Amino acid sequence: MELLDWLKERFAWQDVRLVNEALVETEQGRKRLRYWSDKELLDWHIEWRDHCRVTPFILADRMIRATNKEPALEWKDGWLTVHDEVTGTVPSKEVAEKIGLMIGTMIAFGLETEAAVEPVVKREPLYAELRESLPILPQEQHAFVSSLVREAAVRRKKAAALESKLADERLPLLDQLHFSKETRHVYQVMIWQGTMERPERGYFTVRSFLESWLEHYGKDGCLELWKGMQTYVSNEQAMLLLAELLKPYELDSLVTLLETNPTDAAISGEINQLVAKWERSKELVALLSSSIDSRRRVMTS
């Protein structure tokens, strides 16, 4: 096949077998193929993978260099990159601090890098749209959701005040983090699985990762994760992360659901999930606020 012969030549492989359109088996192990049509996006993903690591514990899934030392090769109408395919186990909370260090290095790099790639459009909470939908809620839920909308407005105001105070601070450009598929543990090394997605300017993706970590590993696991992160995160950047945690995104899914003419049972189920997310956000805000205050006291004592 054309692709297999081309890979043999470019990577000096002797034996290459196609598993599917995204995987090949070689004498050096299974490799994942990624196809890119956007050169600026590709360059960004090459750069952060090359720079972000926690030696010797965590390595990013870097692009394997071809025989010409290039990390990406032109293929038909775009570019192709090759990565080691890793299928190890997902790390447990015992390595939380190392995971935090990795996220911290990504934040530090994302603050320093100048990239031509266009980031994803920044999201804003949708809670205000719920005011128009309140009349369709079952009576017993109307007052409760109204109270959440009021509290959401207070949270958004606090977040805006923090962001205004830190308006001169730059936000990091980050690959989007996905808790369930981010890392794989192979022997004593973790491989950080990057995406092919557009990067994000700001801390929304870190917030999502922290919420998932808290849900799975509790407060102590989250504190260990933050312990690693804050090695690279200044007080100012921590406050910007805190502002992102304050934003009431938890209500977005209810806004979306109410646009579909849902049943009362579906609304009740969504509100139950919303309450759990709301409590996790409050716990994260308290945790991070306490940590920032403690660090400030240490620095000024």
Side-chain angles (χ1 to χ4, degrees):
M1 296 174 63
E2 179 187 4
L3 174 61
L4 299 185
D5 291 338
W6 184 84
L7 288 170
K8 285 181 180 179
E9 180 182 347
R10 297 301 188 279
F11 291 90
W13 292 332
Q14 301 301 311
D15 181 29
V16 184
R17 180 175 59 84
L18 194 66
V19 178
N20 57 46
E21 63 179 11
L23 290 172
V24 293
E25 195 75 54
T26 79
E27 71 271 17
Q28 296 179 15
R30 185 165 288 193
K31 310 297 179 185
R32 178 163 294 277
L33 310 180
R34 287 176 169 164
Y35 303 91
W36 309 75
S37 58
D38 185 327
K39 188 61 165 60
E40 291 178 348
L41 179 62
L42 168 60
D43 289 343
W44 152 253
H45 275 283
I46 291 171
E47 189 176 15
W48 83 256
R49 282 171 166 85
D50 283 349
H51 286 83
C52 297
R53 66 181 70 87
V54 181
T55 308
F57 306 108
I58 306 178
L59 303 174
D61 63 332
R62 297 175 66 236
M63 288 69 175
I64 297 172
R65 268 49 180 178
T67 53
N68 65 359
K69 308 302 182 185
E70 291 297 321
L73 298 171
E74 290 189 46
W75 170 253
K76 296 190 175 180
D77 296 328
W79 295 265
L80 181 145
T81 62
V82 179
H83 310 253
D84 286 316
E85 175 69 353
V86 180
T87 57
T89 58
V90 178
S92 64
K93 64 180 179 181
E94 281 69 29
V95 293
E97 185 175 352
K98 296 182 179 68
I99 298 286
L101 283 167
M102 182 65 181
I103 296 174
T105 66
M106 294 171 69
I107 291 171
F109 175 75
L111 287 168
E112 297 168 0
T113 185
E114 296 291 344
V117 64
E118 188 70 23
V120 296
V121 177
K122 189 175 181 181
R123 291 185 53 195
E124 287 297 328
L126 304 176
Y127 69 93
E129 297 180 26
L130 274 177
R131 293 191 179 97
E132 299 177 5
S133 302
L134 287 173
I136 71 172
L137 291 174
Q139 186 61 39
E140 65 273 16
Q141 296 166 346
H142 187 289
F144 178 67
V145 175
S146 295
S147 69
L148 289 182
V149 171
R150 289 193 296 272
E151 189 174 343
V154 173
R155 284 175 52 181
R156 186 66 187 93
K157 186 176 181 180
K158 290 179 179 179
L162 281 175
E163 290 178 329
S164 177
K165 185 178 180 180
L166 297 162
D168 292 336
E169 282 287 319
R170 192 178 188 191
L171 287 165
L173 190 65
L174 298 171
D175 188 30
Q176 297 186 48
L177 311 180
H178 299 283
F179 172 81
S180 63
K181 57 184 179 182
E182 211 67 66
T183 54
R184 291 293 181 268
H185 213 166
V186 182
Y187 300 111
Q188 300 303 311
V189 177
M190 285 178 284
I191 306 299
W192 188 270
Q193 307 275 14
T195 75
M196 294 182 67
E197 299 171 29
R198 289 199 170 277
E200 173 188 292
R201 179 72 71 182
Y203 284 106
F204 179 80
T205 193
V206 178
R207 169 200 168 121
S208 298
F209 193 92
L210 285 170
E211 287 175 338
S212 295
W213 198 272
L214 178 63
E215 179 183 4
H216 283 79
Y217 299 133
K219 181 178 177 181
D220 289 344
C222 211
L223 284 170
E224 285 297 306
L225 186 77
W226 173 242
K227 180 180 178 181
M229 284 177 59
Q230 65 180 337
T231 302
Y232 293 92
V233 177
S234 66
N235 281 337
E236 291 76 15
Q237 290 297 314
M239 293 294 283
L240 288 172
L241 172 56
L242 179 61
E244 196 65 35
L245 293 174
L246 280 164
K247 294 177 184 178
Y249 295 108
E250 300 92 332
L251 294 166
D252 288 7
S253 56
L254 181 58
V255 172
T256 302
L257 177 68
L258 292 177
E259 293 172 349
T260 66
N261 193 28
T263 64
D264 288 354
I267 294 172
S268 294
E270 180 58 46
I271 289 176
N272 288 337
Q273 293 183 46
L274 185 162
V275 170
K277 294 176 185 176
W278 192 272
E279 291 303 316
R280 278 197 295 275
S281 291
K282 289 174 66 175
E283 190 169 359
L284 277 174
V285 167
L287 184 154
L288 191 60
S289 297
S290 176
S291 176
I292 293 171
D293 289 344
S294 296
R295 186 158 65 165
R296 280 176 169 169
R297 286 196 295 270
V298 170
M299 293 174 68
T300 56
S301 60

